[in-house]
Amino acid sequence: ERSTMSKLSQPPLRVCVTGAAGQIAYSLLPHICLGRTFGADRRVILHLMDIERAQTALGGVKFELQDCGFDNLVDVITTSDPNIAFKDVDVCVFLGAFPRGPGMERKDLLAKNAGIFKTQGKILDKIASRDVKVVVVGNPANTNAWVTQQCAPSIPPQNFTALTRLDANRAQSQIAMRVGVQPSAVSNSTIWGNHSSTQYPDATFAKVNGFKDAYEAVGDKAWLQGDYIKTVQQRGAAIIAARKLSSAMSAAKAISDHLHDWIVGSGGKIVSMAVPSDGSYGVERGLIYSFPVVADRGVFTIVKDIPISDFSRKLMLATEKELSEEREMTKQILFSGSKL
């Protein structure tokens, strides 16, 4: 009773979602409003932002949120103006990004998104809560998170993250299906690096039922170092090929997991988050790179001293190289001639 009362006396959490008329948001908003993301009794005010031509559809999403009758939902603000969307927000989920079109070069995609996230970062810096927690989902997610962080210097750098929990959930499920256990029976499967096809899904220190080594439980080293990695790396593309749309239901669940474990706490569980590197495992400091972390009440800690095999090191370096190249390309586009 007392804990419910104290939760209700907390001010509502202001949560901004960009790209809010899109399909990921449509799956994500119920998680938030049902209390799965920020805790059962945590009330929220939603700041839903999308481009001007999506405003009518966004109004429809607002109607549906009202029709669900969520007790935790205090208010819904819909807008195309980041100056309204980001005002005083405690959490910002960046779903919106410029999509890669046919024949589009990677550097063109980086350039287009760098411009968008530079603008958004600068506005966030001026008007969001001083401790706003950011998760970037729109691709290239890690580099978009880095750009936003660079353009919001007054916000703590560790508050900028990118989503690799979808990859981690995919990895966990692959092992669970292979062994024939529930997904929750698999722990410590980790994603290293970029949210791209160079990511490294690592089962080296994964456990099944809390004690059995995943390599022993699976009993197939060639699979764990071959098709398992490829399946997780290519899963997004496989879903697009099948649905003609990108992952939405699973992406939304992963965003909710990421935010829950960061802001409420992972309960001592090791989870994967793309966070600013502190130089752990030799990863270039400052890159937004996916690591194994534990988190509690808004603070994550990179898990240290995991032994890294030569096989793992090679794959970790390949994904770091890609991130480093993305950052250099973005720097040239964005910050040539300026100090940033």
Side-chain angles (χ1 to χ4, degrees):
E1 178 73 34
R2 188 174 297 160
S3 77
T4 303
M5 288 307 293
S6 68
K7 287 259 180 75
L8 290 173
S9 62
Q10 284 180 306
L13 210 56
R14 289 184 179 270
V15 181
C16 175
V17 179
T18 77
Q23 50 154 6
I24 297 177
Y26 197 74
S27 286
L28 172 64
L29 296 171
H31 284 276
I32 293 173
C33 297
L34 285 164
R36 291 175 184 159
T37 309
F38 301 112
D41 305 310
R42 193 71 206 260
R43 295 176 306 149
V44 292
I45 295 171
L46 291 174
H47 293 221
L48 304 181
M49 181 169 104
D50 213 316
I51 55 176
E52 192 53 52
R53 69 168 181 270
Q55 289 305 299
T56 307
L58 193 54
V61 173
K62 181 175 180 173
F63 290 159
E64 284 208 71
L65 286 165
Q66 291 166 340
D67 297 349
C68 284
F70 294 119
D71 282 347
N72 282 347
L73 183 57
V74 177
D75 195 12
V76 182
I77 295 157
T78 60
T79 184
S80 60
D81 182 355
N83 292 291
I84 296 168
F86 299 161
K87 182 84 177 110
D88 297 329
V89 293
D90 302 296
V91 177
C92 194
V93 182
F94 285 103
L95 302 179
F98 192 85
R100 190 172 193 160
M104 192 177 191
E105 291 285 327
R106 185 155 134 252
K107 67 173 187 302
D108 298 332
L109 182 71
L110 283 166
K112 197 82 189 168
N113 280 295
I116 294 168
F117 282 87
K118 178 180 184 177
T119 305
Q120 293 184 147
K122 287 185 161 176
I123 298 169
L124 207 63
D125 193 47
K126 289 199 181 82
I127 62 173
S129 150
R130 295 299 80 198
D131 195 33
V132 62
K133 302 285 191 288
V134 174
V135 55
V136 178
V137 181
N139 284 317
N142 299 50
T143 298
N144 287 344
W146 178 79
V147 171
T148 314
Q149 178 206 56
Q150 294 301 302
C151 296
S154 72
I155 294 161
Q158 68 273 18
N159 287 22
F160 294 85
T161 68
L163 186 78
T164 53
R165 183 60 173 267
L166 176 53
D167 310 302
N169 287 352
R170 288 165 172 165
Q172 184 180 16
S173 291
Q174 287 297 317
I175 294 171
M177 288 189 291
R178 190 81 175 190
V179 179
V181 295
Q182 288 185 311
S184 61
V186 178
S187 55
N188 301 3
S189 63
T190 292
I191 303 295
W192 299 97
N194 199 1
H195 174 63
S196 76
S197 59
T198 68
Q199 62 173 271
Y200 170 38
D202 180 11
T204 311
F205 59 103
K207 296 269 184 276
V208 176
N209 293 322
F211 66 91
K212 198 165 191 181
D213 181 82
Y215 269 76
E216 191 188 329
V218 168
D220 188 343
K221 183 177 175 180
W223 180 75
L224 280 170
Q225 295 196 345
D227 285 349
Y228 162 73
I229 292 172
K230 282 197 200 81
T231 300
V232 177
Q233 287 175 334
Q234 302 294 337
R235 189 66 158 192
I239 289 165
I240 290 171
R243 287 188 77 223
K244 309 294 177 269
L245 293 163
S246 60
S247 328
M249 181 184 5
S250 53
K253 159 74 164 50
I255 295 160
S256 180
D257 291 344
H258 173 109
L259 287 169
H260 174 275
D261 290 350
W262 185 13
I263 288 163
V264 179
S266 71
K269 262 191 349 222
I270 294 175
V271 297
S272 294
M273 287 173 65
V275 301
S277 170
D278 60 359
S280 293
Y281 301 101
V283 174
E284 186 186 337
R285 193 177 284 274
L287 282 181
I288 308 270
Y289 187 98
S290 184
F291 289 98
V293 305
V294 289
D296 191 42
R297 286 172 293 191
V299 179
F300 61 79
T301 309
I302 295 171
V303 178
K304 311 281 187 191
D305 303 324
I306 293 165
I308 304 295
S309 67
D310 290 345
F311 177 81
S312 292
R313 172 70 59 207
K314 198 169 125 200
L315 292 169
M316 287 165 69
L317 283 168
T319 191
E320 179 184 353
K321 181 170 180 275
E322 181 184 58
L323 276 170
S324 208
E325 285 167 3
E326 282 185 16
R327 187 170 74 166
E328 285 317 304
M329 252 185 260
T330 307
K331 265 186 189 168
Q332 285 164 14
I333 296 155
L334 267 191
F335 306 134
S336 50
S338 81
K339 200 163 173 234
L340 263 177

